[in-house]
Amino acid sequence: MQEMKYTEEIFKKYGRIYDEGKVIFREGEPGNEMFIIIEGKVKITKNAGNLEKTLMILGNGDFFGEMALVDDKPRSASAIALTTCKLIALDKNTFKSVILNNPSFAYKVILKMSERLREADKQIEELLKYDKRTRIIKSIAEAFEQKEYSKLSDLVKDVSDLVGVSESEVLSVIRELVNSSVIGLKAGKITINKEELKRIYKFLSFSKPHYEAD
């Protein structure tokens, strides 16, 4: 365990398997463990009013849930298995032991926490600087960077979660992009003109900022 290398022995002692769609922990719950992803994808979400906003999608080698062990506060977000996941779960005492005995792991934790704070600052800046339409267009581009879509409903839900707006607002923007031939709807597949979408986003980003109440 000292080298933090994955082995079957470690998994037998600390391993957990979560089926697709299973909630690993919920926002507001006490945080007694952190998790390292061995296989699978995990979605980190946060409630924004009546909407659920996706903060990030994590994959193999990523870890999450460490913040609650550091500051002894309730979970600041929820974690949901996007696929069947194999995770290593470390309780607070084990986490402290690993940190003290494995400087490289401790450094990775510090770096990751710093990255996430910067990403949170970036999201707040975008929230203040850009209107909903601009944020939706940006998130559509980001969604297509992650995967291909065959169902419009899946794209609408993912973007709605990312931006923290209603699905009807996302669908309205997608319709505009379809009418402009930026997004194509074909049987079994949704296509996107990435360069044109990026051009639109850049244009909107350099336009006068819009401040609005969500």
Side-chain angles (χ1 to χ4, degrees):
M1 192 68 191
Q2 187 170 347
E3 298 300 323
M4 282 308 295
K5 292 179 179 178
Y6 169 67
T7 65
E8 289 300 327
E9 184 180 350
I10 287 177
F11 191 77
K12 285 179 182 178
K13 187 174 182 180
Y14 300 99
R16 303 262 183 88
I17 295 178
Y18 290 86
D19 293 330
E20 179 181 346
K22 184 75 173 179
V23 175
I24 300 166
F25 56 73
R26 295 185 186 277
E27 182 179 350
E29 291 179 346
N32 302 314
E33 296 172 315
M34 72 157 291
F35 299 86
I36 302 169
I37 303 174
I38 303 302
E39 291 180 14
K41 290 187 176 182
V42 173
K43 176 171 70 171
I44 307 298
T45 69
K46 187 171 183 62
N47 291 327
N50 296 324
L51 297 170
E52 180 183 81
K53 177 177 173 57
T54 298
L55 299 179
M56 64 187 78
I57 306 294
L58 304 176
N60 296 3
D62 288 328
F63 56 85
F64 60 96
E66 75 286 347
M67 187 68 75
L69 300 186
V70 173
D71 62 13
D72 288 319
K73 292 183 179 179
R75 299 289 190 190
S76 60
S78 299
I80 303 163
L82 273 182
T83 63
T84 298
C85 292
K86 292 176 70 174
L87 308 177
I88 297 293
L90 305 179
D91 63 23
K92 190 166 187 175
N93 289 333
T94 306
F95 174 69
K96 284 184 176 180
S97 176
V98 172
I99 289 290
L100 291 173
N101 292 291
N102 192 332
S104 63
F105 180 72
Y107 183 63
K108 287 179 182 178
V109 171
I110 293 170
L111 282 181
K112 185 59 67 175
M113 291 176 71
S114 176
E115 286 175 11
R116 289 173 181 169
L117 286 171
R118 287 182 182 276
E119 181 60 29
D121 287 344
K122 180 182 175 183
Q123 290 181 0
I124 291 170
E125 180 183 356
E126 289 183 352
L127 185 64
L128 293 172
K129 188 174 181 181
Y130 304 131
D131 64 1
K132 287 181 185 178
R133 184 166 174 269
T134 304
R135 301 201 313 270
I136 289 170
I137 289 173
K138 178 177 182 290
S139 293
I140 289 172
E142 291 175 346
F144 273 94
E145 292 292 334
Q146 296 288 331
K147 62 180 180 181
E148 293 184 351
Y149 288 89
S150 58
K151 294 181 179 179
L152 182 60
S153 58
D154 290 342
L155 173 61
V156 170
K157 185 180 187 310
D158 283 355
V159 174
S160 173
D161 289 346
L162 281 168
V163 183
V165 299
S166 69
E167 292 188 8
S168 62
E169 289 174 298
V170 175
L171 190 57
S172 176
V173 173
I174 289 176
R175 283 174 180 156
E176 289 181 34
L177 296 173
V178 170
N179 291 336
S180 301
S181 299
V182 177
I183 291 179
L185 302 179
K186 298 180 180 179
K189 188 175 183 180
I190 302 173
T191 60
I192 181 173
N193 184 331
K194 292 183 180 180
E195 292 305 315
E196 183 63 15
L197 190 62
K198 288 179 181 178
R199 188 191 68 76
I200 292 172
Y201 170 67
K202 286 181 179 179
F203 173 77
L204 293 173
S205 298
F206 285 108
S207 298
K208 184 178 179 180
H210 295 75
Y211 299 91
E212 57 180 44
D214 288 341

mmCIF file of all heavy atoms in Angstrom, residues 22-51:
data_model
loop_
_atom_site.group_PDB
_atom_site.id
_atom_site.type_symbol
_atom_site.label_atom_id
_atom_site.label_comp_id
_atom_site.label_asym_id
_atom_site.label_seq_id
_atom_site.Cartn_x
_atom_site.Cartn_y
_atom_site.Cartn_z
ATOM 1 N N LYS A 22 -25.122 3.939 -9.867
ATOM 2 C CA LYS A 22 -25.114 3.871 -8.406
ATOM 3 C C LYS A 22 -24.514 5.140 -7.808
ATOM 4 O O LYS A 22 -23.483 5.639 -8.254
ATOM 5 C CB LYS A 22 -24.290 2.662 -7.956
ATOM 6 C CG LYS A 22 -24.280 2.425 -6.456
ATOM 7 C CD LYS A 22 -25.584 1.833 -5.976
ATOM 8 C CE LYS A 22 -25.499 1.438 -4.503
ATOM 9 N NZ LYS A 22 -26.777 0.878 -4.016
ATOM 10 N N VAL A 23 -25.163 5.666 -6.768
ATOM 11 C CA VAL A 23 -24.642 6.841 -6.062
ATOM 12 C C VAL A 23 -23.550 6.385 -5.096
ATOM 13 O O VAL A 23 -23.782 5.527 -4.238
ATOM 14 C CB VAL A 23 -25.760 7.571 -5.297
ATOM 15 C CG1 VAL A 23 -25.175 8.719 -4.479
ATOM 16 C CG2 VAL A 23 -26.820 8.099 -6.257
ATOM 17 N N ILE A 24 -22.369 6.956 -5.228
ATOM 18 C CA ILE A 24 -21.242 6.607 -4.359
ATOM 19 C C ILE A 24 -21.326 7.401 -3.058
ATOM 20 O O ILE A 24 -21.145 6.858 -1.977
ATOM 21 C CB ILE A 24 -19.905 6.861 -5.087
ATOM 22 C CG1 ILE A 24 -19.849 6.004 -6.355
ATOM 23 C CG2 ILE A 24 -18.715 6.553 -4.173
ATOM 24 C CD1 ILE A 24 -18.765 6.401 -7.337
ATOM 25 N N PHE A 25 -21.611 8.688 -3.174
ATOM 26 C CA PHE A 25 -21.964 9.504 -2.009
ATOM 27 C C PHE A 25 -22.752 10.717 -2.493
ATOM 28 O O PHE A 25 -22.714 11.054 -3.673
ATOM 29 C CB PHE A 25 -20.739 9.924 -1.177
ATOM 30 C CG PHE A 25 -19.661 10.664 -1.917
ATOM 31 C CD1 PHE A 25 -19.835 11.982 -2.327
ATOM 32 C CD2 PHE A 25 -18.438 10.061 -2.175
ATOM 33 C CE1 PHE A 25 -18.845 12.685 -2.994
ATOM 34 C CE2 PHE A 25 -17.431 10.740 -2.841
ATOM 35 C CZ PHE A 25 -17.635 12.048 -3.249
ATOM 36 N N ARG A 26 -23.481 11.315 -1.563
ATOM 37 C CA ARG A 26 -24.349 12.443 -1.897
ATOM 38 C C ARG A 26 -23.851 13.736 -1.249
ATOM 39 O O ARG A 26 -23.261 13.717 -0.164
ATOM 40 C CB ARG A 26 -25.786 12.185 -1.444
ATOM 41 C CG ARG A 26 -26.469 11.024 -2.153
ATOM 42 C CD ARG A 26 -27.926 10.917 -1.743
ATOM 43 N NE ARG A 26 -28.556 9.740 -2.298
ATOM 44 C CZ ARG A 26 -29.048 9.673 -3.536
ATOM 45 N NH1 ARG A 26 -28.979 10.732 -4.318
ATOM 46 N NH2 ARG A 26 -29.614 8.551 -3.966
ATOM 47 N N GLU A 27 -24.102 14.819 -1.931
ATOM 48 C CA GLU A 27 -23.788 16.151 -1.404
ATOM 49 C C GLU A 27 -24.463 16.336 -0.046
ATOM 50 O O GLU A 27 -25.626 16.008 0.138
ATOM 51 C CB GLU A 27 -24.283 17.209 -2.389
ATOM 52 C CG GLU A 27 -23.992 18.641 -1.998
ATOM 53 C CD GLU A 27 -24.489 19.637 -3.028
ATOM 54 O OE1 GLU A 27 -24.893 19.218 -4.137
ATOM 55 O OE2 GLU A 27 -24.461 20.848 -2.725
ATOM 56 N N GLY A 28 -23.704 16.839 0.929
ATOM 57 C CA GLY A 28 -24.255 17.093 2.257
ATOM 58 C C GLY A 28 -24.031 15.970 3.248
ATOM 59 O O GLY A 28 -24.178 16.171 4.465
ATOM 60 N N GLU A 29 -23.661 14.788 2.761
ATOM 61 C CA GLU A 29 -23.393 13.668 3.657
ATOM 62 C C GLU A 29 -22.036 13.831 4.341
ATOM 63 O O GLU A 29 -21.147 14.494 3.808
ATOM 64 C CB GLU A 29 -23.392 12.347 2.887
ATOM 65 C CG GLU A 29 -24.735 11.906 2.371
ATOM 66 C CD GLU A 29 -24.649 10.592 1.607
ATOM 67 O OE1 GLU A 29 -23.525 10.170 1.251
ATOM 68 O OE2 GLU A 29 -25.714 9.995 1.362
ATOM 69 N N PRO A 30 -21.859 13.196 5.526
ATOM 70 C CA PRO A 30 -20.530 13.190 6.144
ATOM 71 C C PRO A 30 -19.543 12.466 5.234
ATOM 72 O O PRO A 30 -19.911 11.497 4.550
ATOM 73 C CB PRO A 30 -20.745 12.402 7.442
ATOM 74 C CG PRO A 30 -22.216 12.461 7.696
ATOM 75 C CD PRO A 30 -22.874 12.517 6.350
ATOM 76 N N GLY A 31 -18.310 12.928 5.197
ATOM 77 C CA GLY A 31 -17.309 12.305 4.336
ATOM 78 C C GLY A 31 -16.318 11.494 5.141
ATOM 79 O O GLY A 31 -15.491 12.052 5.860
ATOM 80 N N ASN A 32 -16.399 10.179 5.028
ATOM 81 C CA ASN A 32 -15.526 9.308 5.807
ATOM 82 C C ASN A 32 -14.488 8.567 4.965
ATOM 83 O O ASN A 32 -13.621 7.905 5.511
ATOM 84 C CB ASN A 32 -16.369 8.270 6.563
ATOM 85 C CG ASN A 32 -17.395 8.915 7.482
ATOM 86 O OD1 ASN A 32 -17.054 9.837 8.215
ATOM 87 N ND2 ASN A 32 -18.629 8.458 7.421
ATOM 88 N N GLU A 33 -14.590 8.696 3.626
ATOM 89 C CA GLU A 33 -13.681 7.978 2.746
ATOM 90 C C GLU A 33 -13.352 8.806 1.513
ATOM 91 O O GLU A 33 -14.133 9.650 1.105
ATOM 92 C CB GLU A 33 -14.307 6.655 2.275
ATOM 93 C CG GLU A 33 -14.566 5.648 3.380
ATOM 94 C CD GLU A 33 -15.356 4.461 2.873
ATOM 95 O OE1 GLU A 33 -16.339 4.698 2.148
ATOM 96 O OE2 GLU A 33 -15.009 3.321 3.209
ATOM 97 N N MET A 34 -12.193 8.536 0.922
ATOM 98 C CA MET A 34 -11.861 9.043 -0.406
ATOM 99 C C MET A 34 -11.746 7.832 -1.329
ATOM 100 O O MET A 34 -11.602 6.702 -0.872
ATOM 101 C CB MET A 34 -10.568 9.842 -0.406
ATOM 102 C CG MET A 34 -9.322 9.013 -0.230
ATOM 103 S SD MET A 34 -7.824 9.814 -0.871
ATOM 104 C CE MET A 34 -8.141 9.764 -2.620
ATOM 105 N N PHE A 35 -11.802 8.074 -2.641
ATOM 106 C CA PHE A 35 -11.840 6.970 -3.595
ATOM 107 C C PHE A 35 -10.824 7.183 -4.721
ATOM 108 O O PHE A 35 -10.620 8.306 -5.171
ATOM 109 C CB PHE A 35 -13.243 6.846 -4.201
ATOM 110 C CG PHE A 35 -14.311 6.565 -3.184
ATOM 111 C CD1 PHE A 35 -14.922 7.601 -2.487
ATOM 112 C CD2 PHE A 35 -14.705 5.262 -2.910
ATOM 113 C CE1 PHE A 35 -15.912 7.351 -1.538
ATOM 114 C CE2 PHE A 35 -15.691 4.998 -1.968
ATOM 115 C CZ PHE A 35 -16.285 6.041 -1.282
ATOM 116 N N ILE A 36 -10.225 6.080 -5.159
ATOM 117 C CA ILE A 36 -9.344 6.078 -6.323
ATOM 118 C C ILE A 36 -9.982 5.184 -7.379
ATOM 119 O O ILE A 36 -10.405 4.056 -7.072
ATOM 120 C CB ILE A 36 -7.942 5.540 -5.962
ATOM 121 C CG1 ILE A 36 -7.329 6.378 -4.842
ATOM 122 C CG2 ILE A 36 -7.028 5.554 -7.190
ATOM 123 C CD1 ILE A 36 -6.064 5.773 -4.241
ATOM 124 N N ILE A 37 -10.081 5.671 -8.607
ATOM 125 C CA ILE A 37 -10.737 4.910 -9.673
ATOM 126 C C ILE A 37 -9.728 3.951 -10.322
ATOM 127 O O ILE A 37 -8.733 4.392 -10.888
ATOM 128 C CB ILE A 37 -11.323 5.841 -10.749
ATOM 129 C CG1 ILE A 37 -12.313 6.828 -10.117
ATOM 130 C CG2 ILE A 37 -12.022 5.028 -11.840
ATOM 131 C CD1 ILE A 37 -12.833 7.881 -11.086
ATOM 132 N N ILE A 38 -10.018 2.660 -10.229
ATOM 133 C CA ILE A 38 -9.202 1.648 -10.898
ATOM 134 C C ILE A 38 -9.722 1.426 -12.314
ATOM 135 O O ILE A 38 -8.971 1.382 -13.275
ATOM 136 C CB ILE A 38 -9.212 0.324 -10.110
ATOM 137 C CG1 ILE A 38 -8.732 0.548 -8.680
ATOM 138 C CG2 ILE A 38 -8.347 -0.725 -10.813
ATOM 139 C CD1 ILE A 38 -7.349 1.145 -8.574
ATOM 140 N N GLU A 39 -11.028 1.288 -12.441
ATOM 141 C CA GLU A 39 -11.675 1.139 -13.749
ATOM 142 C C GLU A 39 -13.017 1.847 -13.704
ATOM 143 O O GLU A 39 -13.714 1.832 -12.688
ATOM 144 C CB GLU A 39 -11.916 -0.338 -14.093
ATOM 145 C CG GLU A 39 -10.682 -1.146 -14.377
ATOM 146 C CD GLU A 39 -10.996 -2.596 -14.713
ATOM 147 O OE1 GLU A 39 -12.183 -2.904 -14.985
ATOM 148 O OE2 GLU A 39 -10.076 -3.420 -14.686
ATOM 149 N N GLY A 40 -13.390 2.486 -14.839
ATOM 150 C CA GLY A 40 -14.711 3.096 -14.949
ATOM 151 C C GLY A 40 -14.680 4.611 -14.981
ATOM 152 O O GLY A 40 -13.613 5.237 -14.968
ATOM 153 N N LYS A 41 -15.873 5.179 -14.997
ATOM 154 C CA LYS A 41 -16.027 6.636 -15.007
ATOM 155 C C LYS A 41 -17.012 7.069 -13.926
ATOM 156 O O LYS A 41 -18.033 6.417 -13.707
ATOM 157 C CB LYS A 41 -16.524 7.122 -16.375
ATOM 158 C CG LYS A 41 -15.492 7.000 -17.484
ATOM 159 C CD LYS A 41 -15.982 7.648 -18.766
ATOM 160 C CE LYS A 41 -14.913 7.608 -19.844
ATOM 161 N NZ LYS A 41 -15.352 8.270 -21.094
ATOM 162 N N VAL A 42 -16.685 8.187 -13.283
ATOM 163 C CA VAL A 42 -17.504 8.724 -12.196
ATOM 164 C C VAL A 42 -17.867 10.166 -12.504
ATOM 165 O O VAL A 42 -17.012 10.952 -12.923
ATOM 166 C CB VAL A 42 -16.754 8.652 -10.841
ATOM 167 C CG1 VAL A 42 -17.543 9.368 -9.748
ATOM 168 C CG2 VAL A 42 -16.494 7.206 -10.456
ATOM 169 N N LYS A 43 -19.136 10.503 -12.302
ATOM 170 C CA LYS A 43 -19.610 11.872 -12.510
ATOM 171 C C LYS A 43 -19.732 12.567 -11.158
ATOM 172 O O LYS A 43 -20.320 12.030 -10.225
ATOM 173 C CB LYS A 43 -20.975 11.842 -13.218
ATOM 174 C CG LYS A 43 -21.603 13.210 -13.406
ATOM 175 C CD LYS A 43 -22.833 13.137 -14.299
ATOM 176 C CE LYS A 43 -23.991 12.451 -13.639
ATOM 177 N NZ LYS A 43 -25.251 12.578 -14.419
ATOM 178 N N ILE A 44 -19.145 13.760 -11.064
ATOM 179 C CA ILE A 44 -19.241 14.582 -9.852
ATOM 180 C C ILE A 44 -20.260 15.687 -10.124
ATOM 181 O O ILE A 44 -20.105 16.448 -11.082
ATOM 182 C CB ILE A 44 -17.880 15.195 -9.470
ATOM 183 C CG1 ILE A 44 -16.797 14.108 -9.364
ATOM 184 C CG2 ILE A 44 -18.005 15.974 -8.168
ATOM 185 C CD1 ILE A 44 -17.055 13.066 -8.307
ATOM 186 N N THR A 45 -21.293 15.760 -9.307
ATOM 187 C CA THR A 45 -22.374 16.717 -9.540
ATOM 188 C C THR A 45 -22.635 17.572 -8.301
ATOM 189 O O THR A 45 -22.286 17.193 -7.185
ATOM 190 C CB THR A 45 -23.681 15.993 -9.920
ATOM 191 O OG1 THR A 45 -24.185 15.281 -8.781
ATOM 192 C CG2 THR A 45 -23.459 15.013 -11.064
ATOM 193 N N LYS A 46 -23.272 18.719 -8.539
ATOM 194 C CA LYS A 46 -23.651 19.615 -7.444
ATOM 195 C C LYS A 46 -25.019 20.197 -7.738
ATOM 196 O O LYS A 46 -25.323 20.526 -8.894
ATOM 197 C CB LYS A 46 -22.625 20.734 -7.291
ATOM 198 C CG LYS A 46 -22.848 21.610 -6.060
ATOM 199 C CD LYS A 46 -21.684 22.545 -5.852
ATOM 200 C CE LYS A 46 -21.846 23.374 -4.580
ATOM 201 N NZ LYS A 46 -21.882 22.550 -3.364
ATOM 202 N N ASN A 47 -25.848 20.297 -6.723
ATOM 203 C CA ASN A 47 -27.168 20.887 -6.894
ATOM 204 C C ASN A 47 -27.069 22.391 -7.038
ATOM 205 O O ASN A 47 -26.358 23.058 -6.283
ATOM 206 C CB ASN A 47 -28.072 20.542 -5.704
ATOM 207 C CG ASN A 47 -28.436 19.068 -5.657
ATOM 208 O OD1 ASN A 47 -28.567 18.425 -6.702
ATOM 209 N ND2 ASN A 47 -28.587 18.525 -4.463
ATOM 210 N N ALA A 48 -27.773 22.911 -8.044
ATOM 211 C CA ALA A 48 -27.845 24.357 -8.265
ATOM 212 C C ALA A 48 -29.324 24.715 -8.362
ATOM 213 O O ALA A 48 -29.919 24.644 -9.428
ATOM 214 C CB ALA A 48 -27.110 24.746 -9.538
ATOM 215 N N GLY A 49 -29.904 25.046 -7.223
ATOM 216 C CA GLY A 49 -31.350 25.274 -7.200
ATOM 217 C C GLY A 49 -32.073 23.951 -7.415
ATOM 218 O O GLY A 49 -31.840 22.977 -6.704
ATOM 219 N N ASN A 50 -32.932 23.919 -8.431
ATOM 220 C CA ASN A 50 -33.653 22.696 -8.760
ATOM 221 C C ASN A 50 -32.927 21.842 -9.795
ATOM 222 O O ASN A 50 -33.444 20.813 -10.229
ATOM 223 C CB ASN A 50 -35.056 23.036 -9.291
ATOM 224 C CG ASN A 50 -35.914 23.710 -8.237
ATOM 225 O OD1 ASN A 50 -35.825 23.370 -7.059
ATOM 226 N ND2 ASN A 50 -36.731 24.664 -8.651
ATOM 227 N N LEU A 51 -31.738 22.278 -10.199
ATOM 228 C CA LEU A 51 -30.997 21.578 -11.244
ATOM 229 C C LEU A 51 -29.755 20.901 -10.676
ATOM 230 O O LEU A 51 -29.220 21.312 -9.647
ATOM 231 C CB LEU A 51 -30.580 22.555 -12.351
ATOM 232 C CG LEU A 51 -31.708 23.234 -13.108
ATOM 233 C CD1 LEU A 51 -31.148 24.337 -13.992
ATOM 234 C CD2 LEU A 51 -32.477 22.232 -13.956
#
